[in-house]
Amino acid sequence: MMQSGIFTGYFPYGLEETAKKIRGHGFNTVQLDLHFKDIDLSAGQITKDRAKKVRDTFRAYDLPICCISGYTNVIHPDLAHRKANVDRLKEIIRNARQLGSAYVISETGTYNTESEWMSDPKNKSEEGFEMCRKVIAELAQEAYDHGSMFLLETYVNNVVGSVEETVRMFAQVDHPGLGLLMDPTNYFESHNIDQMDKVLNQVFDTLADKVKIAHAKDVARAGDDKSEKHADIGDDDALASHTFRGVGEMVLNAPGTGSLNYDLYLKRLAQKNPNIPVIIEHLSEDDVPRAKKFLDDKFRANGL
């Protein structure tokens, strides 16, 4: 069976209590968010001893850390803010191995000055892409130099927001320090959600060999009663990188509450990545048992 995991950030507790609660749900891996009530892992505060404590605590609960959240806007329009964001991401990359995983994840960001989840015309310009390419290449090299890998996560409102843009970025940054976080829900907008299977197959036909980690959430048109019921719209800073978000007329919600063809998604994922961790996101803590059961049932139904 594929591994099911979850972001640690959905459990707002101390380090050991978080690990204990996640293991209690039956998960066997986690994506590490650097937010715990009893240990400071903020910018400039990741030390060798703290990293070891985090890594060893999750290992003690049979929860190896498969990847680390580094989500930030790497092309923020304010240059000082951008530098701070990239420097923080590089700090996480340099400490990734000590924290227990080679993989650090971020989306590619936006030039929008109001929100890092909103689009901007510059995102789709040649100038915008080239600036982003330089940062991604820099992050890939930083990762390679420290025995880790930077995983790009495509997101429709960012510079890299489509299958074609993802393929282009990997072609222009052909580097062993760069991989892909697979989340097919991030490729859908109102114009292509009714072509679900076509888009899913396109994603895997062109990008499967780049995938290292996968996410499990869902996508639906805004206003769908089922999706709204399960949406987590909290504003906690610790979860701001991966809570419920709108994408124009779309909502990105908890797994099993939208229209993603999970049978096709998991079958295609398993073809080249049969043992890949699949990490649940975009939900509230009280929805975790339902979401895990949904994902595990899909694994079993598809012989995974």
Side-chain angles (χ1 to χ4, degrees), residues 280-296:
I280 291 174
E281 63 171 341
H282 284 220
L283 76 175
S284 55
E285 185 182 349
D286 61 3
D287 193 34
V288 170
R290 180 208 60 80
K292 186 178 188 301
K293 182 178 185 304
F294 168 80
L295 187 60
D296 288 347

Side-chain angles (χ1 to χ4, degrees), residues 155-172:
Y155 176 62
V156 292
N157 282 347
N158 285 179
V159 173
V160 177
S162 68
V163 176
E164 294 79 9
E165 288 161 349
T166 308
V167 170
R168 181 184 178 192
M169 184 60 76
F170 276 96
Q172 294 192 18

